[in-house]
Amino acid sequence: MNDTEHVSHNEHDSHAGHESSPEEYWEGEYSGSPARWSGNVNGTMAAVVSELPSAPGHSALDLGCGEGGDAVWLASQGWQVTAVDISATATARGAELARTAGVSEAITWVTQDLATWETTETFDLVTASFFHSTVELPREQILRRAAGQIRPGGHLLLVTHVFEGPDDIPEWSLRFHGTDDPNDPELQKHFSVLKTPSEEVAALDLDDADWTLEKQEIRLREATSPDGVETATVKDGVILLRRS
């Protein structure tokens, strides 16, 4: 994902009413349209990672990598990246982006459902940017499993959408959901599953003896509408944990 967005659950409408599997649904979302995102890195993720100690060859796992903007940026910063997404079209576009950027050798693309995907590899960093979905997704289970693959001294970084009230919903997101009322009950229900950073940390329920919470904050960011015409200030949740 990037700074051009619908600001929705992983930027897509609800899965309600669809009988397809999560894989079929997400593949349809990507294959049924041109590139969904700009290919730019998530700015909040980049700002946080830029503050972390790194060395050539350090490894990162990008969960729900989409079309690869974050993975390609990480590779350009010297990380060896494993990028995982359920959509074959998304990872193929990511691989093409990596070729264009000259970082193909630094990224391993994996097309798998994260609900079932496992690896024996370990990582210095696990990132998940806007890893939200109304499609069936055992999110906390996936994040806890990935956290278990982080080496001592490594980090888990989540960048999330935060909506603390109706005023946090951009005008273009209202139109995307077919309403002009930010207090619309259905709209509020749609956004209610998004957690604050403190709620995210509580839901992860990682052992305090093994993890140090380094960041738990909300950052303001200027976002651009999908048509590139409007801008709005939105809120990103940032959770950064370091493994002991």
Side-chain angles (χ1 to χ4, degrees):
M1 230 290 292
N2 55 75
D3 292 350
T4 302
E5 55 192 73
H6 286 301
V7 189
S8 176
H9 293 177
N10 211 23
E11 323 321 317
H12 300 293
D13 205 355
S14 172
H15 188 245
H18 292 270
E19 295 181 358
S20 57
S21 68
E23 179 180 0
E24 291 168 335
Y25 176 75
W26 287 114
E27 179 57 19
E29 289 291 299
Y30 280 101
S31 65
S33 67
R36 298 191 69 88
W37 317 124
S38 69
N40 296 330
V41 66
N42 178 295
T44 300
M45 188 281 286
V48 175
V49 172
S50 294
E51 299 171 355
L52 299 179
S54 63
H58 272 196
S59 62
L61 172 62
D62 184 9
L63 300 173
C65 66
E67 292 167 332
D70 288 2
V72 169
W73 180 86
L74 286 165
S76 74
Q77 303 302 302
W79 294 85
Q80 292 291 318
V81 184
T82 299
V84 187
D85 199 276
I86 197 170
S87 166
T89 296
T91 53
R93 289 174 179 168
E96 180 58 33
L97 184 66
R99 282 191 290 273
T100 301
V103 295
S104 291
E105 293 185 1
I107 307 176
T108 299
W109 301 95
V110 179
T111 306
Q112 291 286 337
D113 185 347
L114 282 164
T116 56
W117 181 75
E118 297 184 10
T119 180
T120 58
E121 287 188 69
T122 56
F123 303 92
D124 299 293
L125 172 67
V126 171
T127 68
S129 295
F130 302 151
F131 188 53
H132 309 291
S133 180
T134 48
V135 178
E136 182 181 353
L137 179 74
R139 185 170 177 273
E140 279 73 34
Q141 176 186 323
I142 291 168
L143 293 172
R144 282 192 291 268
R145 184 191 302 139
Q149 300 307 116
I150 296 175
R151 298 175 185 130
H155 289 83
L156 172 65
L157 171 60
L158 310 183
V159 179
T160 67
H161 288 311
V162 175
F163 294 92
E164 296 179 296
D167 291 343
D168 293 336
I169 304 174
E171 291 291 332
W172 66 78
S173 191
L174 294 178
R175 293 195 298 272
F176 178 76
H177 291 285
T179 183
D180 59 4
D181 180 9
N183 292 293
D184 180 273
E186 285 301 312
L187 184 68
Q188 289 300 311
K189 180 180 178 181
H190 181 80
F191 285 109
S192 67
V193 300
L194 298 172
K195 301 178 178 67
T196 64
S198 61
E199 291 169 339
E200 292 279 4
V201 172
L204 280 173
D205 194 27
L206 298 177
D207 192 334
D208 290 343
D210 297 327
W211 294 89
T212 299
L213 181 61
E214 295 191 339
K215 294 184 187 295
Q216 177 186 286
E217 60 193 47
I218 294 173
R219 297 190 179 190
L220 300 181
R221 171 174 58 85
E222 186 170 279
T224 305
S225 61
D227 60 12
V229 174
E230 300 171 83
T231 61
T233 300
V234 299
K235 295 177 179 178
D236 291 344
V238 176
I239 299 96
L240 181 68
L241 294 123
R242 177 174 53 82
R243 191 168 193 176
S244 303

